[in-house]
Amino acid sequence: VQLQASGGGLVQAGGSLRLSCAASGLTFRSAFMGWFRQAPGKEREFVAAISRNSAGTAYADFVRGRFTISKDNAKNTVYLLMNSLKPEDTAVYYCAADPAMILSSMRLPHEYDYWGQGTLVTVSS
């Protein structure tokens, strides 16, 4: 399984970015997908997740209303649209995948079997 994250970069506060994560080697339409982030000196934290059929989504409180996760099964790609970015959103963003989990576990990083390499998002003030 390979997860290739892209779309990070430098943006001013209040701006937007869309992260993409292209997956291969797994049955994407059946996979749960998540985004996590890790800022320097901090632990990896949950950002957003989407269930296999896109019916269920979950967001961390600090991104709710600003970020949107979506899944395109035809392109084997999960997206994270990030609006109203803040300097505290600066981090390396990782996508993760798992073929089977329950909805209540989507926020837990140890529940995901596969991880991408991360893409750096820097928000300047």
Side-chain angles (χ1 to χ4, degrees):
V1 175
Q2 289 192 329
L3 302 176
Q4 183 68 43
S6 62
L10 174 64
V11 64
Q12 289 188 332
S16 299
L17 281 175
R18 189 180 76 159
L19 305 183
S20 301
C21 176
S24 61
L26 79 167
T27 305
F28 185 78
R29 64 180 181 276
S30 299
F32 289 77
M33 302 297 297
W35 286 98
F36 293 79
R37 70 186 187 186
Q38 188 166 16
K42 295 188 177 181
E43 294 187 352
R44 189 169 300 190
E45 62 182 355
F46 169 75
V47 176
I50 189 165
S51 65
R52 54 177 51 176
N53 57 4
S54 301
T57 57
Y59 294 93
D61 288 343
F62 54 77
V63 303
R64 197 180 306 274
R66 299 189 297 126
F67 292 9
T68 303
I69 189 170
S70 61
K71 193 169 180 260
D72 187 336
N73 290 333
K75 296 183 178 180
N76 283 10
T77 301
V78 63
Y79 302 99
L80 185 68
L81 176 60
M82 307 185 294
N83 295 321
S84 302
L85 283 162
K86 306 175 182 180
E88 51 265 42
D89 293 320
T90 295
V92 177
Y93 284 71
Y94 298 90
C95 62
D98 197 87
M101 64 170 59
I102 57 176
L103 292 178
S104 60
S105 297
M106 288 198 299
R107 299 171 181 266
L108 305 176
H110 64 264
E111 292 288 336
Y112 291 83
D113 285 345
Y114 307 108
W115 290 82
Q117 86 290 357
T119 184
L120 176 62
V121 172
T122 304
V123 184
S124 63
S125 58

